[in-house]
Amino acid sequence: MNNIIQFENVSKSFGDLKVLNKLNLEVKDGEKLALIGPSGSGKTTILRILMTLETIDDGFVSVNGEYLWHEKNNGKIIPASENHLHKMRDHIGMVFQQFNLFPHLTAIENVEQPQILIKKRSKPEAKDKAEELFNLIGLNDKKDHYPHELSGGQQQRVAIARALAMEPKIMLFDEVTSALDPELVDEVLTVLRKLASDTDTTMLTVTHEMNFAREFADRVLFFDAGQIVESGKPENIFANPEKRRTKEFLKKFINNVN
Amino acid sequence: MEWNWDHAYAVLPQLLKGLVITIEATIVASLIAYILGLAIAIFKMSKSKLVRVSLYWMTEFVRRTPILVQLYVVFYVLPDFGIFLEAFTCGVIVLGIHFSTYTSEVFRAGIDNVSKGQWEAAKSLNYNPYQAWKHVILPQAIPPMIPPLANYLITMFKETPLLAFITVVELFRAADQYSNSYYTYLEPMTLVGVFFLIVSIPSAMIAMKLEKKFKPIKVTR
Ligand SMILES: Nc1ncnc2c1ncn2[C@@H]1O[C@H](COP(=O)(O)OP(=O)(O)OP(=O)(O)O)[C@@H](O)[C@H]1O
Ligand SMILES: [Mg+2]
């Protein structure tokens, strides 16, 4: 299987703070990945670099066999142009912690507008696609509501539908349930589980829901200080972590939860 | 002194002509204030610090000097440098520029009011900057701007009598001319007040309605 995402010696700093230090990471096409780790370890930064919301200082990121932040020009490798980034963004979709639905549009318009503007679909095509996705997220009866008329969990499900409508090869989920009241977490995770089992979309999920990570992921990555400390199948990472830092993190985590 | 209806009737045609000039001046000046204000707001977000800092001081300078002084300078001093402008043109330009320093704050607050997450969502869906402005940012930024912009329109309307000082025969100067010819201030000036009220009160009520409808942003500075 090919690597759909590859980080090679990627470094990233914010001022004096080195968030990623020569990070190497490979993700296979169709893989479902869970990123776990302490706060500030750089998990969000990795997703934001992939979504082109954050630049890199050094190294190379490849997506779908092409450089993301660079392009080839007459055999030379130069920083990516806006055109190149635009083309590459087509492969990637992202769901944010704060939903970021467009508040001036109804739920279904949120899902239709990007299809019409970016995918150049006709209005009926966009509507069909949106309705299919509202079925998937179980929100058919709320599709004409405005975001502020929906609960957090419902808004997040619409945000997932909006990203899915663009049919990206790679979906990024950044703590998509952390802003939700506990009783609303499950309805969103259910959608993610369904996606994981029904589609071959590559999924990268940053999460603090360890039980979810365990069932959802093919592979779990434990991050600390911008480095991958340990990576492996969920059953191994959660049951028999090899590294001390992973053990400590999981122990603290499980103690906090229970 | 007693109210004399003959004076009141006699001055009316001149006052109506003055009112038309006043309204024209308000409209042109506010268009200048809105367009220039939007331009200032956009340039104040410029990446270049030089642009931002110079704009800051230019707008501070304009805002911190009296409109009347600005009118005199443009109307009476610029001709010494070979720049001749008609009184009306001078007046609307000065008013427009003066108020653009205020409207620019409204535009900026309106744009700042749209969260960074909205830009990021638009980018993650691959909207280009033009599409993001048109379909995501401005539709959210504009409605709360409408009430404060409407309030500045009313303020500008009330400031138009200043143009009388540079010979524009707007409502106030029309009344003043009559007063000077017939030695009566009561009727002309009362009517001027009434005219201003007739226009401002309904406008203020509309502005208040707009405020209820659009939940205006707070302009802080
Ligand atoms: N735009 C920024 N400017 C300055 N520092 C930033 C910026 N974005 C992130 N950081 C810092 O970089 C570090 C890594 O941030 P990141 O958001 O990737 O962590 P995280 O692993 O997602 O943490 P959390 O679990 O709290 O979400 C943090 O210390 C954060 O404060
Ligand atoms: Mg994070």
Side-chain angles (χ1 to χ4, degrees), chain A residues 43-45 97 174-175 206:
Chain A
K43 306 177 300 290
T44 296
T45 304
Q97 194 173 336
D174 189 11
E175 295 197 35
V206 174

Side-chain angles (χ1 to χ4, degrees), chain B residues 33-34 36-38 40-41 44 59-60 62-65 67 70 95-109 148-149 152 155-156 219 221:
Chain B
Y34 293 157
L36 191 61
L38 180 61
I40 293 172
K44 270 194 174 169
T59 52
E60 279 302 293
V62 170
R63 198 201 305 247
R64 303 293 173 210
T65 45
I67 303 178
Q70 293 167 2
L95 267 189
I97 291 178
H98 190 89
F99 278 93
S100 72
T101 66
Y102 291 99
T103 56
S104 70
E105 299 294 336
V106 175
F107 286 114
R108 203 174 58 165
L149 291 181
Y152 279 124
T155 310
M156 274 188 269
V219 183
R221 55 161 286 116

Side-chain angles (χ1 to χ4, degrees), chain B residues 1-13 15 178 184 186-188 190-191 194-195:
Chain B
M1 199 175 219
E2 272 198 21
W3 179 267
N4 182 338
W5 280 108
D6 291 340
H7 280 312
Y9 285 126
V11 74
L12 214 50
L15 289 189
Y178 187 94
T184 171
L186 178 63
E187 300 83 4
T190 308
L191 287 174
V194 169
F195 277 13

Side-chain angles (χ1 to χ4, degrees), chain A residues 10 16 21 24 38 54 90 115 120 149 154 163 170 198 240:
Chain A
V10 173
D16 289 339
N21 190 5
N24 288 292
E54 217 72 79
D90 214 34
Q115 300 183 59
K120 308 289 174 212
E149 300 167 329
Q154 292 168 337
I170 301 164
D198 297 358
N240 305 305

